[in-house]
Coordinates of all heavy atoms in Angstrom, one line a residue:
A157 N -7.5 -9.7 22.3 CA -7.3 -8.8 21.1 C -8.6 -8.4 20.6 O -8.7 -7.2 20.1 CB -6.5 -9.6 20.1
L158 N -9.6 -9.2 20.5 CA -10.9 -8.8 20.0 C -11.5 -7.7 20.9 O -12.0 -6.7 20.4 CB -11.8 -10.0 20.0 CG -13.3 -9.7 19.5 CD1 -13.3 -9.1 18.1 CD2 -14.1 -10.9 19.6
T159 N -11.4 -7.8 22.2 CA -11.9 -6.9 23.1 C -11.2 -5.5 22.9 O -11.8 -4.4 23.0 CB -11.8 -7.4 24.6 OG1 -12.4 -8.6 24.7 CG2 -12.4 -6.4 25.5
V160 N -9.9 -5.5 22.9 CA -9.1 -4.3 22.7 C -9.5 -3.7 21.4 O -9.6 -2.4 21.3 CB -7.6 -4.6 22.7 CG1 -6.8 -3.4 22.3 CG2 -7.2 -5.1 24.1
A161 N -9.8 -4.4 20.3 CA -10.1 -3.8 19.0 C -11.5 -3.2 19.1 O -11.7 -2.1 18.6 CB -10.2 -4.9 18.0
L162 N -12.5 -3.8 19.8 CA -13.8 -3.3 19.9 C -14.0 -2.2 20.9 O -14.9 -1.4 20.8 CB -14.8 -4.5 20.1 CG -14.9 -5.5 19.0 CD1 -15.9 -6.6 19.4 CD2 -15.3 -4.9 17.7
L163 N -13.3 -2.3 22.0 CA -13.5 -1.4 23.1 C -12.2 -0.7 23.5 O -11.5 -1.0 24.5 CB -14.0 -2.1 24.4 CG -15.4 -2.7 24.2 CD1 -15.7 -3.6 25.5 CD2 -16.4 -1.7 24.0
P164 N -11.7 0.2 22.6 CA -10.4 0.9 22.9 C -10.5 1.9 24.1 O -9.5 2.4 24.5 CB -10.2 1.7 21.6 CG -11.6 1.9 21.0 CD -12.4 0.7 21.4
L165 N -11.7 2.2 24.6 CA -11.8 3.1 25.7 C -11.9 2.4 27.1 O -12.6 3.0 28.0 CB -13.1 4.0 25.5 CG -13.1 4.8 24.1 CD1 -14.3 5.6 24.0 CD2 -11.9 5.7 24.0
L166 N -11.3 1.3 27.2 CA -11.4 0.6 28.5 C -10.7 1.3 29.6 O -11.0 1.2 30.7 CB -10.8 -0.8 28.3 CG -11.6 -1.9 27.6 CD1 -10.8 -3.2 27.5 CD2 -12.9 -2.1 28.4
G167 N -9.7 2.2 29.2 CA -9.0 2.8 30.2 C -7.9 2.1 30.8 O -7.4 2.3 31.9
V168 N -7.4 1.0 30.1 CA -6.3 0.2 30.6 C -5.3 0.0 29.5 O -5.6 0.3 28.3 CB -6.8 -1.2 31.0 CG1 -7.8 -1.1 32.2 CG2 -7.4 -2.0 29.9
G169 N -4.2 -0.5 29.8 CA -3.1 -0.6 28.8 C -3.4 -1.8 27.9 O -3.1 -2.9 28.3
G170 N -3.9 -1.6 26.7 CA -4.2 -2.7 25.8 C -3.0 -3.5 25.4 O -3.1 -4.7 25.2
F171 N -1.9 -2.8 25.2 CA -0.7 -3.6 24.8 C -0.2 -4.5 25.9 O 0.3 -5.6 25.6 CB 0.4 -2.6 24.4 CG 1.6 -3.2 23.8 CD1 1.5 -4.0 22.7 CD2 2.9 -3.0 24.4 CE1 2.6 -4.6 22.2 CE2 4.0 -3.6 23.8 CZ 3.9 -4.4 22.7
Q172 N -0.4 -4.2 27.1 CA 0.0 -5.0 28.2 C -0.8 -6.3 28.1 O -0.3 -7.4 28.4 CB -0.3 -4.3 29.6 CG 0.8 -3.3 30.0 CD 2.0 -3.9 30.5 OE1 2.9 -4.4 29.8 NE2 2.1 -4.0 31.8
L173 N -2.1 -6.2 27.9 CA -2.9 -7.4 27.9 C -2.6 -8.3 26.7 O -2.5 -9.5 26.8 CB -4.4 -6.9 27.8 CG -5.0 -6.1 28.9 CD1 -6.4 -5.8 28.7 CD2 -4.9 -6.9 30.2
I174 N -2.5 -7.6 25.5 CA -2.1 -8.4 24.2 C -0.8 -9.1 24.4 O -0.6 -10.2 23.9 CB -2.2 -7.5 23.0 CG1 -3.7 -7.2 22.8 CG2 -1.6 -8.2 21.8 CD1 -3.9 -6.4 21.6
R175 N 0.2 -8.5 25.0 CA 1.5 -9.1 25.2 C 1.4 -10.4 26.0 O 2.1 -11.3 25.7 CB 2.4 -8.2 26.0 CG 3.1 -7.1 25.2 CD 3.9 -6.2 26.1 NE 5.0 -6.9 26.8 CZ 6.2 -7.1 26.4 NH1 6.5 -6.6 25.2 NH2 7.1 -7.7 27.1
A176 N 0.4 -10.5 26.9 CA 0.2 -11.6 27.8 C -0.5 -12.7 27.0 O -0.6 -13.8 27.5 CB -0.5 -11.3 29.1
E177 N -1.1 -12.4 25.9 CA -2.0 -13.3 25.2 C -1.3 -13.8 23.8 O -1.5 -14.9 23.5 CB -3.3 -12.7 24.8 CG -4.2 -13.6 24.1 CD -5.6 -13.0 23.7 OE1 -5.5 -12.0 23.0 OE2 -6.6 -13.5 24.1
T178 N -0.6 -12.9 23.2 CA 0.0 -13.3 21.8 C 1.1 -14.3 21.9 O 1.8 -14.4 22.9 CB 0.4 -12.0 21.1 OG1 1.2 -11.3 21.9 CG2 -0.8 -11.2 20.7
T179 N 1.3 -14.9 20.7 CA 2.4 -15.9 20.7 C 3.6 -15.4 20.1 O 3.7 -14.4 19.4 CB 1.9 -17.1 19.8 OG1 1.6 -16.6 18.5 CG2 0.6 -17.7 20.4
G180 N 4.7 -16.1 20.4 CA 6.0 -15.8 19.8 C 7.0 -15.1 20.8 O 6.5 -14.6 21.8
P181 N 8.3 -15.2 20.6 CA 9.3 -14.7 21.6 C 9.3 -13.1 21.6 O 9.8 -12.6 22.6 CB 10.6 -15.2 21.1 CG 10.4 -15.5 19.7 CD 9.0 -15.9 19.5
E182 N 8.8 -12.5 20.5 CA 8.8 -11.1 20.4 C 7.4 -10.6 20.2 O 6.7 -11.1 19.4 CB 9.7 -10.5 19.3 CG 11.2 -10.8 19.5 CD 12.1 -10.1 18.5 OE1 12.0 -10.6 17.3 OE2 12.8 -9.2 18.8
K183 N 7.0 -9.5 21.0 CA 5.7 -8.9 20.8 C 5.9 -7.5 20.2 O 6.7 -6.7 20.7 CB 5.0 -8.8 22.2 CG 5.2 -9.9 23.1 CD 4.6 -11.2 22.7 CE 4.8 -12.3 23.8 NZ 4.3 -13.6 23.4
G184 N 5.1 -7.2 19.2 CA 5.3 -5.9 18.5 C 3.9 -5.4 18.0 O 2.9 -6.1 18.2
K185 N 3.9 -4.2 17.5 CA 2.7 -3.6 16.9 C 2.9 -3.4 15.5 O 4.0 -3.1 15.0 CB 2.5 -2.3 17.6 CG 2.4 -2.3 19.1 CD 2.2 -0.9 19.7 CE 2.3 -0.8 21.2 NZ 2.2 0.6 21.7
L186 N 1.8 -3.4 14.7 CA 1.9 -3.1 13.2 C 1.8 -1.6 13.1 O 2.4 -1.0 12.2 CB 0.7 -3.7 12.5 CG 0.6 -5.3 12.5 CD1 -0.6 -5.7 11.7 CD2 1.9 -5.9 12.0
T187 N 1.1 -0.9 14.0 CA 1.0 0.5 14.0 C 1.3 1.1 15.4 O 1.5 0.3 16.3 CB -0.5 1.0 13.6 OG1 -1.4 0.4 14.6 CG2 -0.9 0.3 12.3
S188 N 1.3 2.4 15.5 CA 1.7 3.0 16.8 C 0.6 2.8 17.9 O 0.9 2.9 19.0 CB 1.9 4.5 16.6 OG 0.8 5.1 16.1
K189 N -0.6 2.5 17.5 CA -1.7 2.3 18.4 C -2.0 0.8 18.4 O -2.4 0.2 17.4 CB -2.9 3.2 18.1 CG -2.7 4.6 18.2 CD -4.0 5.4 17.9 CE -3.8 6.9 18.1 NZ -5.0 7.6 17.9
I190 N -2.1 0.2 19.6 CA -2.4 -1.1 19.7 C -3.9 -1.5 19.3 O -4.1 -2.6 18.7 CB -2.2 -1.7 21.1 CG1 -2.2 -3.2 21.2 CG2 -3.1 -1.0 22.2 CD1 -1.2 -3.9 20.4
T191 N -4.8 -0.6 19.5 CA -6.2 -0.8 19.1 C -6.2 -0.8 17.6 O -7.0 -1.7 17.0 CB -7.1 0.3 19.6 OG1 -6.6 1.6 19.2 CG2 -7.2 0.3 21.1
T192 N -5.5 0.0 16.9 CA -5.5 0.0 15.4 C -4.8 -1.3 14.9 O -5.4 -1.9 14.0 CB -4.7 1.2 14.9 OG1 -5.2 2.4 15.4 CG2 -4.7 1.2 13.3
T193 N -3.8 -1.8 15.6 CA -3.2 -3.0 15.2 C -4.2 -4.3 15.4 O -4.3 -5.1 14.5 CB -2.0 -3.3 16.2 OG1 -1.0 -2.3 15.9 CG2 -1.4 -4.7 15.9
A194 N -4.9 -4.2 16.5 CA -5.9 -5.3 16.7 C -7.0 -5.3 15.7 O -7.4 -6.4 15.2 CB -6.5 -5.2 18.1
K195 N -7.4 -4.1 15.3 CA -8.5 -4.0 14.2 C -8.0 -4.5 12.9 O -8.7 -5.2 12.2 CB -8.9 -2.5 14.1 CG -9.8 -2.1 15.3 CD -10.1 -0.6 15.2 CE -10.9 -0.1 16.4 NZ -11.2 1.3 16.3
I196 N -6.7 -4.2 12.6 CA -6.2 -4.6 11.3 C -6.1 -6.2 11.2 O -6.4 -6.8 10.3 CB -4.7 -4.0 11.0 CG1 -4.9 -2.5 10.8 CG2 -4.0 -4.7 9.9 CD1 -3.6 -1.8 10.8
L197 N -5.6 -6.7 12.4 CA -5.4 -8.2 12.4 C -6.8 -8.9 12.3 O -6.9 -9.8 11.6 CB -4.7 -8.6 13.7 CG -3.3 -8.2 13.8 CD1 -2.8 -8.5 15.3 CD2 -2.4 -9.0 12.8
W198 N -7.8 -8.4 13.0 CA -9.1 -9.0 13.0 C -9.8 -8.8 11.6 O -10.5 -9.6 11.1 CB -10.0 -8.4 14.1 CG -9.8 -9.2 15.4 CD1 -9.0 -9.0 16.4 CD2 -10.5 -10.5 15.7 NE1 -9.1 -10.0 17.3 CE2 -10.0 -10.9 16.9 CE3 -11.5 -11.2 15.0 CZ2 -10.5 -12.0 17.5 CZ3 -11.9 -12.4 15.6 CH2 -11.4 -12.8 16.9
F199 N -9.5 -7.6 10.9 CA -10.0 -7.4 9.6 C -9.5 -8.4 8.6 O -10.2 -9.0 7.9 CB -9.7 -6.0 9.1 CG -10.2 -5.7 7.8 CD1 -11.5 -5.3 7.5 CD2 -9.3 -5.6 6.7 CE1 -12.0 -5.1 6.2 CE2 -9.7 -5.4 5.4 CZ -11.1 -5.1 5.2
M200 N -8.2 -8.7 8.7 CA -7.6 -9.6 7.8 C -8.1 -11.0 8.1 O -8.3 -11.9 7.2 CB -6.1 -9.5 7.9 CG -5.5 -8.3 7.4 SD -3.6 -8.2 7.3 CE -3.2 -8.3 9.1
Y201 N -8.2 -11.3 9.4 CA -8.7 -12.6 9.9 C -10.1 -12.9 9.3 O -10.5 -14.0 8.8 CB -8.7 -12.6 11.4 CG -9.0 -13.9 12.1 CD1 -8.3 -15.1 11.7 CD2 -9.8 -13.9 13.2 CE1 -8.5 -16.2 12.4 CE2 -10.0 -15.1 13.9 CZ -9.4 -16.2 13.5 OH -9.6 -17.4 14.2
F202 N -11.0 -11.8 9.4 CA -12.3 -12.0 9.0 C -12.4 -12.2 7.4 O -13.2 -13.0 6.9 CB -13.1 -10.7 9.3 CG -14.5 -10.7 8.8 CD1 -15.5 -11.3 9.7 CD2 -14.9 -10.1 7.7 CE1 -16.9 -11.4 9.2 CE2 -16.2 -10.1 7.2 CZ -17.2 -10.7 8.0
G203 N -11.5 -11.4 6.7 CA -11.4 -11.5 5.3 C -11.1 -12.9 4.8 O -11.7 -13.4 3.8
L204 N -10.1 -13.5 5.4 CA -9.6 -14.8 5.0 C -10.7 -15.8 5.3 O -10.9 -16.8 4.5 CB -8.3 -15.2 5.7 CG -7.0 -14.5 5.2 CD1 -5.9 -14.8 6.2 CD2 -6.7 -15.0 3.8
T205 N -11.4 -15.7 6.4 CA -12.5 -16.6 6.8 C -13.6 -16.5 5.8 O -14.1 -17.6 5.4 CB -13.0 -16.2 8.2 OG1 -11.9 -16.2 9.2 CG2 -14.0 -17.2 8.7
A206 N -14.0 -15.4 5.4 CA -15.1 -15.1 4.4 C -14.6 -15.8 3.1 O -15.5 -16.4 2.4 CB -15.4 -13.7 4.3
M207 N -13.4 -15.6 2.7 CA -12.9 -16.1 1.4 C -13.0 -17.6 1.4 O -13.4 -18.2 0.4 CB -11.4 -15.6 1.2 CG -10.9 -15.9 -0.2 SD -9.2 -15.5 -0.3 CE -9.2 -13.7 0.2
E208 N -12.5 -18.2 2.5 CA -12.6 -19.7 2.6 C -14.0 -20.2 2.5 O -14.3 -21.2 1.9 CB -11.9 -20.2 3.8 CG -11.8 -21.7 3.8 CD -11.3 -22.3 5.1 OE1 -10.9 -21.6 6.0 OE2 -11.2 -23.6 5.1
A209 N -14.9 -19.5 3.3 CA -16.3 -20.0 3.3 C -16.9 -19.9 2.0 O -17.6 -20.9 1.5 CB -17.1 -19.1 4.3
I210 N -16.7 -18.9 1.2 CA -17.2 -18.8 -0.2 C -16.6 -19.9 -1.1 O -17.4 -20.6 -1.8 CB -16.8 -17.4 -0.8 CG1 -17.6 -16.3 0.0 CG2 -17.2 -17.4 -2.3 CD1 -17.2 -14.9 -0.3
L211 N -15.3 -20.2 -1.0 CA -14.7 -21.3 -1.8 C -15.3 -22.7 -1.4 O -15.5 -23.4 -2.3 CB -13.2 -21.2 -1.6 CG -12.5 -20.0 -2.2 CD1 -11.0 -20.0 -1.9 CD2 -12.6 -20.0 -3.8
L212 N -15.5 -22.8 -0.2 CA -16.0 -24.2 0.3 C -17.4 -24.3 -0.2 O -17.8 -25.4 -0.6 CB -15.9 -24.3 1.8 CG -14.5 -24.5 2.4 CD1 -14.6 -24.4 3.9 CD2 -13.9 -25.8 2.0

Side-chain angles (χ1 to χ4, degrees):
L158 176 61
T159 304
V160 171
L162 295 179
L163 297 175
L165 303 178
L166 284 176
V168 301
F171 188 54
Q172 283 281 80
L173 298 178
I174 289 182
R175 277 175 61 90
E177 181 185 58
T178 51
T179 61
E182 291 185 294
K183 322 292 184 184
K185 306 177 186 178
L186 299 180
T187 64
S188 58
K189 293 184 178 180
I190 191 62
T191 53
T192 304
T193 295
K195 287 176 182 177
I196 290 171
L197 290 172
W198 272 93
F199 178 78
M200 293 187 295
Y201 190 46
F202 180 85
L204 286 171
T205 305
M207 190 185 305
E208 185 188 0
I210 292 169
L211 290 173
L212 288 174

